[in-house]
Amino acid sequence: MALSREFDVVLFGATGFTGKLVAEYLCQTYGVGQNLKWALAGRSLQKLEAVRTGLVAGTKTDATQVASLALIVVDGTDQDAVNLLAARTAVVCTTVGPYALVGTPLVKACADQGTHYCDLTGEVQWMHRVINQCQTTAEASGAKIVHTCGFDSIPSDLGTFYVQEQMYARHGVYASQVKYRLVKADGGMSGGTVASLMNMMEEVRQDPQVGEVIKDPYALNPLNMPQGPDGPDQVAAIYDSHFRQWTAPFVMAAINTRVVRRTNALLGYRYGQQFRYDEAILTGAGPVGYMKAMAVASGSFLVMLAAALGPLRAVLKSVLPAQGEGPSAETIRNGSFTIDLLALHPTDSQKNLRARLTADRDPGYGATSKMLGEAAVCLATDELPAKSGFLTPASAMGQVLIQRLQDKAGMTFEILD
Ligand SMILES: NC(=O)c1ccc[n+]([C@@H]2O[C@H](COP(=O)([O-])OP(=O)(O)OC[C@H]3O[C@@H](n4cnc5c(N)ncnc54)[C@H](OP(=O)(O)O)[C@@H]3O)[C@@H](O)[C@H]2O)c1
């Protein structure tokens, strides 16, 4: 049952690099002053006005209509102010980050007031903390709190859900293992993402326990519930005999795998208690594929090492985008991604299924802004399973969101024969 409040969706962080893209997407797709009641929020009125003005040219929407889009000034660290914000809307969709630094008051406010919530965090240590702090309150208030509604981790989580439902529909069982393989991803990185990664590394330096949480393959699983057989994420070049290609470590696996495993637990172990899930990048066959896999593995290791060491972190920061910056409009428009998910039938390899997901914009920003925007509208307006607390994209929205992403957001989900 949709909540009836002054707004359906408030987009918080609309002045940031990704927030602006989400604002454009919502404006283009849902208009202003039409069925969806939405508003922009941020900490600077001047910046919010500039974003709103930019929507006229950016989306070719009527200027008078756009001028009626409400602007709400809120500092994310002011608990009273975010409480008021959460009370006015059915859903807060937030790109205010790094989430571990400024996101907790808003999660608390939404959990308290039964306000649904979605974000783009990939900060496992922070999700682990806020789940522990606010799960009971959110369950009681009816709030659906859904982290990771961007490239991490919607393709992983909904892709696994999709291929598992296809497996069940065709063969009456769920796959015992799903392998996510990144086939292609063209895009760039924003300063906000860099800042979130750097903050995570700083937290690890200050408190080694945070490092233990990040390494735990089941870091996001509900407490006191069974885990599963998965171990650490891939760190080296490995040959994958199912795909007949070499594979390299995928940096987002450290987030996505935790989310998919939490989904399995939240769905009552629908995929099985012994379900296995992993992610890697396909780099091709033969010696060239091997060399590429080695190069990606070594490159990822060196970047993570530099981010972990204080002095090198400063050097890394100076060459990466600053907060507010990100890939060019052209990179976003011309970008795309393709992911294959192989579902292994528990007893008969002839019945294995391979799903393919694609998107028509760069993964981190063009496609991510559409995924987040659709997740927010889905939470605000669609009939969803009657669950509350800290959910995942698949456990909260499953097939309904898959349909939206295909109908409106330029994504495809298909089974390859
Ligand atoms: N999962 C994914 O696939 C994915 C993709 C993209 C981004 N992200 C994540 O999304 C987050 C945003 O990234 P971005 O590149 O868009 O960052 P950004 O450009 O730096 O934007 C951050 C936003 O947060 C706002 N903000 C910061 N502190 C605030 C506070 N105390 N109160 C209110 N607003 C505050 C900023 O407001 P001002 O404009 O006033 O400074 C800005 O609007 C990052 O955590 C990033 O890792 C994830």
Side-chain angles (χ1 to χ4, degrees):
M1 192 58 186
L3 290 173
S4 176
R5 295 202 176 160
E6 180 183 354
F7 300 109
D8 297 318
V9 174
V10 171
L11 170 61
F12 190 32
T15 58
F17 186 81
T18 320
K20 277 184 210 160
L21 296 173
V22 181
E24 277 182 15
Y25 178 73
L26 290 176
C27 191
Q28 223 146 26
T29 315
Y30 296 98
V32 177
Q34 299 182 20
N35 289 343
L36 187 77
K37 296 175 290 171
W38 62 289
L40 303 179
R43 61 182 164 177
S44 153
L45 180 61
Q46 209 182 1
K47 282 190 181 178
L48 284 170
E49 283 172 342
V51 171
R52 185 172 63 179
T53 306
L55 290 176
V56 177
T59 66
K60 313 226 177 343
T61 308
D62 176 72
T64 319
Q65 269 181 7
V66 170
S68 69
L69 190 59
L71 305 180
I72 305 170
V73 179
V74 182
D75 190 304
T77 58
D78 179 342
Q79 186 69 63
D80 292 338
V82 289
N83 287 348
L84 290 174
L85 174 73
R88 294 175 70 181
T89 180
V91 175
V92 183
C93 167
T94 173
T95 57
V96 171
Y99 293 90
L101 289 180
V102 289
T104 305
L106 179 60
V107 171
K108 281 188 179 155
C110 291
D112 279 348
Q113 305 191 39
T115 303
H116 304 324
Y117 165 105
C118 53
D119 72 19
L120 289 180
T121 189
E123 296 153 67
V124 169
Q125 86 287 6
W126 177 67
M127 288 185 264
H128 178 82
R129 273 201 299 270
V130 287
I131 292 173
N132 287 342
Q133 282 171 24
C134 306
Q135 169 72 6
T136 311
T137 326
E139 273 180 15
S141 71
K144 296 177 193 290
I145 311 282
V146 192
H147 297 302
T148 62
C149 289
F151 183 58
D152 38 301
S153 303
I154 279 194
S156 310
D157 199 28
L158 289 185
T160 301
F161 182 87
Y162 170 78
V163 76
Q164 283 286 31
E165 291 308 309
Q166 292 290 324
M167 175 67 87
Y168 191 81
R170 288 162 199 234
H171 303 303
V173 289
Y174 287 102
S176 52
Q177 182 174 359
V178 171
K179 293 175 155 201
Y180 165 123
R181 298 291 177 257
L182 186 65
V183 178
K184 169 176 165 292
D186 298 326
M189 197 190 246
S190 75
T193 300
V194 174
S196 299
L197 174 68
M198 298 300 170
N199 177 63
M200 191 169 79
M201 291 306 191
E202 182 56 25
E203 280 195 44
V204 174
R205 192 188 66 77
Q206 287 177 13
D207 179 0
Q209 264 308 107
V210 172
E212 294 307 308
V213 170
I214 290 168
K215 274 191 270 171
D216 179 358
Y218 293 91
L220 297 181
N221 269 46
L223 288 176
N224 307 321
M225 282 177 69
Q227 300 196 338
D230 281 326
D233 303 313
Q234 178 172 334
V235 291
I238 294 179
Y239 186 74
D240 187 328
S241 53
H242 286 113
F243 285 83
R244 298 197 181 128
Q245 289 191 43
W246 286 92
T247 65
F250 179 40
V251 66
M252 300 298 182
I255 306 157
N256 298 335
T257 55
R258 281 53 168 172
V259 174
V260 171
R261 291 173 195 139
R262 179 172 176 83
T263 291
N264 187 31
L266 295 180
L267 293 178
Y269 299 97
R270 183 180 294 185
Y271 313 153
Q273 283 193 14
Q274 296 304 309
F275 171 67
R276 304 192 63 173
Y277 180 77
D278 74 288
E279 299 195 345
I281 303 172
L282 291 178
T283 57
V288 175
Y290 172 70
M291 293 307 287
K292 278 191 197 164
M294 287 293 288
V296 175
S298 331
S300 314
F301 174 76
L302 290 175
V303 169
M304 293 315 274
L305 186 69
L309 300 174
L312 283 179
R313 196 180 317 145
V315 176
L316 203 57
K317 260 175 136 170
S318 69
V319 295
L320 291 171
Q323 279 182 271
E325 296 174 0
S328 68
E330 199 186 355
T331 302
I332 291 175
R333 201 174 39 248
N334 296 336
S336 66
F337 68 75
T338 302
I339 294 159
D340 282 3
L341 291 117
L342 180 69
L344 301 183
H345 187 279
T347 54
D348 183 353
S349 60
Q350 297 297 315
K351 293 179 177 163
N352 292 349
L353 279 187
R354 186 157 162 177
R356 173 159 289 184
L357 265 65
T358 66
D360 64 355
R361 292 281 188 281
D362 81 302
Y365 303 94
T368 282
S369 56
K370 299 202 253 182
M371 291 185 244
L372 181 64
E374 285 304 329
V377 178
C378 182
L379 286 170
T381 61
D382 291 343
E383 257 337 298
L384 295 173
K387 294 177 181 176
S388 54
F390 286 74
L391 305 172
T392 54
S395 62
M397 297 171 273
Q399 184 54 41
V400 183
L401 185 54
I402 291 175
Q403 201 57 51
R404 276 188 170 276
L405 295 174
Q406 297 196 100
D407 292 347
K408 294 182 175 285
M411 283 183 69
T412 64
F413 292 69
E414 64 174 325
I415 297 294
L416 302 179
D417 285 327

